[in-house]
Amino acid sequence: MPDILLDVQGLETQFKTPDGLVHAVNGVSFILESKETIGLVGESGCGKTVTMLSVLRLIPSPPGKIAGGSALFHGQDLLKMSNEEIRNVRGAQISIVFQDPMTSFNSVLTIGRQITETLETHLGMSPSQSKQRAAELLDLVGIPEAKDRLNDYPHQFSGGMRQRAMIAMALACNPQILIADEPTTALDVTIQAQIVELVKRIRDELGMAIVWITHDLGIIAGLAQRVIVMYGGYFIEEAPVKELYGNPQHPYTIGLLGSLPRMDRKQRRQLASIEGLPPILFEKPTYCPFAPRCKYVIEHCRGENPLLQVIAPDHRVACWVNPGTGRER
């Protein structure tokens, strides 16, 4: 039996806005096993980040509200914990690396102080112990002269170094789960590759599980074991990496993969694009949310929203149509 670290079932998150109630996450379910890396992919605004922030109860309330579901971590529901209980989980057992480290760090505190605060709060270290450990963490993530850089402020670090420092802070308490929220988006391609390799190395050394949030399927090809594709607040396809890349079954997934430049094909081809705009979810759709943009759409798609169904071992898809034949499943 797999060792399940996190079991999320039926998670729903909503936001009150001046224009109406936005249904950002709509009943998503997934499990994360020990030492597993999951890629959570989809275009901006589909609900990827909100899903994982909801799990950690980091949704601002108001305007946000977790409207339903459960998130079991070692058998305890994170969504029903007291504020004190969830604070003891955040940072210590489940950590998160945010997309923009410049806004995630406190600009008036040194990098060293922001790491030592985590160590002193969760592990009860003395100031001298936490300072020594903070230097070790900066060295672990590849920051040169780590001990001397503890007294530097975030603006004195480059973008890549700030991201490394953010990873060091997230790893301070040896968490069991690391949530990486598009940590390479603002970085150039060379630094992106370095950060990905750094996370892979640390994952293997510490044996932690990872949820890597991204809109770029190319990044997670060599990083994740399993990929979940999200669209319009729903999970629409889930499969092991090789299966998803080799046999995508949802038209949206096919579109995402078609937009990637390929170096393994001799014949040049134009990159594909997905026509249309993402849905605005003021109401829960009673039809497939991708139907207005889908070239395989049939009448059933406009009348009923499909649920995830198993089509192969460990491969689930929410689509009425088989894109290989163009016919209803």
Side-chain angles (χ1 to χ4, degrees), residues 89-104:
V89 172
R90 295 192 206 115
Q93 300 175 67
I94 305 176
S95 288
I96 186 166
V97 177
F98 292 101
Q99 182 172 347
D100 184 1
M102 193 62 211
T103 56
S104 302

Side-chain angles (χ1 to χ4, degrees), residues 8 40 42 52 63 68 85 96 128 134 177 217 234 236 261 287 327:
V8 176
L40 183 55
M52 298 316 299
E85 288 172 331
I96 186 166
S128 60
I177 300 174
L217 276 165
Y234 293 90
I236 59 169
Y287 52 88
R327 298 176 180 175

